[in-house]
Amino acid sequence: VIAAWWDYGYWISTLSERKTLSDNATTLDWQIRKSASMFMSTPDHAWQILSSDAETDASSYYVTLPPDINKPTRQGVDGCQTGEYSNFEVSCYDLNQDKLDGFKNWKDDSSADKVYDPDIADKYPTIFDYWESEVYVLPPIVTGLDADYILINLAAEKLPEENILDLYTIEQKGGDETKAFWFIKIADLHILDYYNPELTSYTDKFWNETLFAKLIPFTPVLYVDPDNVELQSETFKPGYAAIYVKDIKFPPDGQGPFQLVYVSPSFERNDAGALTGPLIYKINKEYNPNQ
């Protein structure tokens, strides 16, 4: 199973004959929301999400959850994810409260369709324990994604060779580096927490705290005035372009949560020019986040 943004789904399933988590026909908006939140979660948390199956509660690992699981792409209220507000002040999703509400509805249900086996229920210390173990089903928005690989698609450019180091730009020309904007929006996060004000480069929070950034094989090294390359800055400056060096955070032989197993040949070019195509990482099921 390959995790990727939805618009690569048909290509993956057709060309590689592998299952994907979503594609162009996915109508389950909560599945798209889960993918966006996974990409914007920390690498360790994203590994937990991707390694957990569809029956495991992974809610504590998603960077955000929707305030209403029945409307997962509806934007929430500032403070829901940080705990700034309580559930009595604004509508913030709470899995425990959702479970209690579900139990109450089940308990009050007097219809013939109600799922209840008194013989099995007698084996549990409380009726709630019976319901939780035998009846309750986790909402799909909070469960794991159970994938084996994760794919991103990038568009970048290698700069001329007269530089001492190999230097690159990320051009925002249609790869996932562009779709990061939508990852952030769909995950209901603040754009300017992750993008610099001109929306052409990313903040330290993006580079340090998100899986998506760690899958990008580049790291910003400086910012340059495109009209006068002698004018440089180590930090973001309006009008300056971000310059990157190659930096693979999850190498093929690494012991981390992900291992790079395929990179588009264009990323190995020695001359200047465009770099485009997919990078595929194996999800390391042997990884131990506690070590």
Side-chain angles (χ1 to χ4, degrees):
V1 177
I2 299 176
W5 196 235
W6 63 266
D7 46 0
Y8 308 124
Y10 281 160
W11 290 101
I12 293 170
S13 58
T14 301
L15 298 178
S16 69
E17 298 182 349
R18 296 292 187 272
K19 294 180 180 179
T20 62
L21 296 176
S22 56
D23 57 33
N24 306 62
T26 298
T27 58
L28 301 171
D29 50 1
W30 50 260
Q31 185 76 338
I32 305 299
R33 168 74 186 242
K34 288 171 73 171
S35 295
S37 293
M38 175 273 295
F39 273 118
M40 298 307 296
S41 297
T42 66
D44 274 5
H45 283 181
W47 178 85
Q48 295 279 8
I49 294 165
L50 290 161
S51 300
S52 300
D53 62 28
E55 297 181 355
T56 299
D57 176 14
S59 59
S60 63
Y61 300 115
Y62 286 99
V63 66
T64 57
L65 287 173
D68 183 349
I69 61 170
N70 297 311
K71 300 179 178 67
T73 56
R74 175 178 292 180
Q75 289 192 331
V77 181
D78 292 351
C80 282
Q81 303 304 326
T82 63
E84 181 181 346
Y85 300 121
S86 73
N87 291 323
F88 299 102
E89 294 172 326
V90 296
S91 177
C92 297
Y93 177 68
D94 184 318
L95 179 61
N96 290 328
Q97 185 61 50
D98 181 74
K99 185 182 292 187
L100 290 174
D101 291 342
F103 173 66
K104 183 179 184 301
N105 291 335
W106 172 84
K107 191 176 179 182
D108 294 341
D109 183 7
S110 59
S111 70
D113 297 329
K114 179 177 179 177
V115 177
Y116 178 65
D117 187 322
D119 293 332
I120 296 177
D122 285 343
K123 298 177 182 179
Y124 288 88
T126 69
I127 192 66
F128 177 81
D129 291 318
Y130 162 76
W131 174 84
E132 185 177 34
S133 297
E134 303 291 340
V135 180
Y136 176 69
V137 177
L138 281 167
I141 188 67
V142 304
T143 61
L145 291 172
D146 198 12
D148 301 293
Y149 296 88
I150 184 166
L151 176 151
I152 63 169
N153 184 54
L154 293 179
E157 183 169 352
K158 186 175 182 180
L159 298 178
E161 296 180 356
E162 59 261 22
N163 299 296
I164 297 176
L165 298 173
D166 288 340
L167 299 178
Y168 304 83
T169 58
I170 297 178
E171 296 292 331
Q172 303 285 330
K173 290 186 176 179
D176 284 340
E177 75 285 347
T178 303
K179 294 165 190 165
F181 180 90
W182 293 108
F183 298 171
I184 297 166
K185 290 288 288 184
I186 292 172
D188 200 12
L189 296 165
H190 294 292
I191 293 293
L192 293 182
D193 281 349
Y194 299 92
Y195 269 98
N196 288 320
E198 295 180 342
L199 303 184
T200 56
S201 60
Y202 312 99
T203 64
D204 288 345
K205 181 180 179 70
F206 173 85
W207 289 109
N208 295 331
E209 299 182 17
T210 72
L211 171 64
F212 179 56
K214 299 299 184 182
L215 299 179
I216 296 174
F218 304 108
T219 291
V221 65
L222 77 162
Y223 297 82
V224 174
D225 184 341
D227 298 322
N228 182 356
V229 295
E230 299 298 324
L231 298 177
Q232 303 176 0
S233 173
E234 293 184 357
T235 58
F236 169 76
K237 193 171 183 179
Y240 281 36
I243 305 296
Y244 301 83
V245 293
K246 186 174 287 188
D247 180 17
I248 297 173
K249 291 88 169 178
F250 300 122
D253 57 352
Q255 301 303 309
F258 305 93
Q259 297 164 330
L260 182 63
V261 294
Y262 176 82
V263 59
S264 172
S266 70
F267 283 86
E268 304 296 336
R269 68 184 302 163
N270 294 318
D271 58 333
L275 316 177
T276 59
L279 296 95
I280 303 174
Y281 292 83
K282 179 182 178 181
I283 299 165
N284 181 9
K285 300 300 178 70
E286 304 301 318
Y287 175 67
N288 184 348
N290 298 317
Q291 289 184 344

